[in-house]
Structure formats: structure tokens, C-alpha cells
Amino acid sequence: MPTSETGPALPDRPPTGAGVAFRSTARVPVDRKRQPSGDEARERAMRAAISVIAEKGTAALRMSDIAARAGMSTGHILYHFGKKDRLLLEVLAWSQADLWARFQEAADRAASPAERLDLFVRSYLPRHQGDERYALWTQVLAQRHDEAGRRVLTELLDGWDERLEVIVREGRDLGQFAEVDLPGFTIRAVAMLSGISEDVMFGRARWQNTSAHAFALSALERELRPPGRA
């Protein structure tokens, strides 16, 4: 994007796990006498990894780059993550866990399934062309993964489908959404959102003056509108 979007926004607070999008951070000097530990170390490393991946991609990613960005030693990074493939999957899972927590926090306050659908679309789409969270997704999906890695990615992808199905099922049961075929609708909706997301990340001119969020939400609302309702 960026666009001027309508509807309820996700909570605007610093993420506690992995945020929707992280700003690039400067390199932090390494103080070997005061290296972070435990959750603090992992969170700092995760944030640094997302930032470096967005800048350099996964192919050129080095553990030393992450260490320098986080103000930690390379050995400390290796201690927490071992090899690069494991780090990439853990960073993605960490990012998604916090995004979903933020989404659920906002969804619990939403007054209707329609508002929750709005939040879902807003959470799914990248916020702008350089969105680091979405860049991480595309970089990790492009890698070759073993069976364990594919299971992790499948669970993360399925998580989006499951959340959308909960929203649509609730709206359908309340009579606020049409009686759509739920699996079919979910496939179409996520495929559309993925296509728009790729467009936004590529920087297609069509989204410079048009809100991708508003366009996608309107398309889903048309399909979900009950017969006879304007």
C-alpha cells in the first residue's frame, strides 16, 4: 500500500511477540558482558532477523548479519537457533503468533462478524510495499523445506483459513452472511487476498490511488451479502 483504510484498526502498540510489520533497526553495538538471555534474547534476535531478511533476502542472509543488527554475538545467535533454516521457520511462526494474538484481541472487541471480517482482511494484506512481515512470508515459502518444515508452513497457512471460516460461519449462523459453501468461499477469498498482496508487494500502480483493503473487503462482502439485502 500505503492507503487510507476504513474500519476498526488493530491495536497500535509495540508487539510482544512478532509484529505485523517491523521497521528496519540500526546495528546495535555488541556488549559481550551484557548479552541478553532467555526470551529477551530470542525476541531481539527475531526482530533483527525479520529486518535483515527484508533487506537482504534469505539467500544472502548470514547469522553474523542478524547478530550485528541485534547487538549480540554470532555465537549467541547460533546457540538459540542453530542453522538458518530453523531460524527462518521460527521467525515466521513467531511473527504469525503475535499477529494472530493482535487480531484476536481486536476481534474480541468487534461488534459483529462484519467487523471481524474487516479485521481479517486488514491483518492479511501487507500494509505497504515494503511490509517486512509479508516479505518474510514470501522469502520463506520460496525455500526448499523438509517434511517437518512443510508441516510448520502448512499449519501457518491453514491458520488463516480456519480464522476466516470461524468468522463466516458465525455471520452465516446469525443470518448476517449468505449461505455460502464455506470451504469454497475460503479458497476463493484467500486466493484473492494472496493475489492482491503480491500486487501490493510488487508495487503495482493500480494500488497507489486505490485502497487494496477496501477493494478486497468489498468483494468479499458482495459474495456474503444475503439475498434481497441491499
Side-chain angles (χ1 to χ4, degrees):
M1 287 176 284
T3 55
S4 62
E5 300 180 327
T6 58
L10 290 173
D12 186 12
R13 60 173 172 77
T16 55
V20 174
F22 294 106
R23 296 172 185 235
S24 178
T25 54
R27 291 176 178 241
V28 179
V30 177
D31 183 348
R32 297 184 184 278
K33 295 182 180 179
R34 300 185 62 186
Q35 290 284 288
S37 60
D39 292 342
E40 179 191 353
R42 289 183 65 81
E43 180 169 338
R44 185 186 294 187
M46 295 282 194
R47 290 180 185 277
I50 291 178
S51 178
V52 174
I53 291 167
E55 290 179 13
K56 297 189 174 186
T58 55
L61 179 68
R62 299 179 303 174
M63 292 298 203
S64 58
D65 296 328
I66 298 171
R69 185 65 56 85
M72 298 164 62
S73 69
T74 302
H76 210 169
I77 298 294
L78 290 171
Y79 171 80
H80 281 285
F81 300 107
K83 58 183 182 178
K84 186 167 73 173
D85 289 350
R86 176 185 164 193
L87 177 141
L88 293 174
L89 287 171
E90 287 201 30
V91 169
L92 182 60
W94 180 81
S95 174
Q96 285 303 115
D98 184 76
L99 174 60
W100 285 334
R102 289 160 60 86
F103 165 78
Q104 193 60 53
E105 179 182 334
D108 288 344
R109 297 198 305 268
S112 67
E115 286 191 13
R116 283 185 272 278
L117 180 66
D118 182 312
L119 287 165
F120 180 88
V121 173
R122 192 181 302 276
S123 299
Y124 194 103
L125 294 175
R127 299 171 112 183
H128 49 78
Q129 185 178 355
D131 188 300
E132 291 180 346
R133 176 186 63 82
Y134 207 90
L136 174 64
W137 258 110
T138 57
Q139 294 278 351
V140 175
L141 286 174
Q143 303 298 303
R144 294 177 64 89
H145 298 281
D146 59 17
E147 184 177 348
R150 290 181 62 83
R151 279 200 302 271
V152 171
L153 289 171
T154 298
E155 288 176 4
L156 292 175
L157 291 167
D158 287 349
W160 287 105
D161 293 4
E162 291 163 5
R163 284 162 175 78
L164 179 58
E165 288 181 0
V166 167
I167 294 169
V168 175
R169 185 180 294 110
E170 179 191 15
R172 192 180 60 182
D173 293 346
L174 291 172
Q176 297 176 15
F177 292 160
E179 291 289 334
V180 294
D181 169 59
L182 195 52
F185 173 83
T186 300
I187 291 172
R188 291 191 299 276
V190 172
M192 179 192 69
L193 291 172
S194 295
I196 292 175
S197 296
E198 292 172 5
D199 251 15
V200 171
M201 293 298 290
F202 184 70
R204 294 288 296 275
R206 64 177 56 152
W207 304 116
Q208 291 179 1
N209 299 310
T210 301
S211 166
H213 164 264
F215 179 91
L217 182 62
S218 177
L220 297 182
E221 288 175 336
R222 281 196 301 271
E223 187 167 353
L224 291 172
R225 187 175 298 126
R229 184 175 297 181

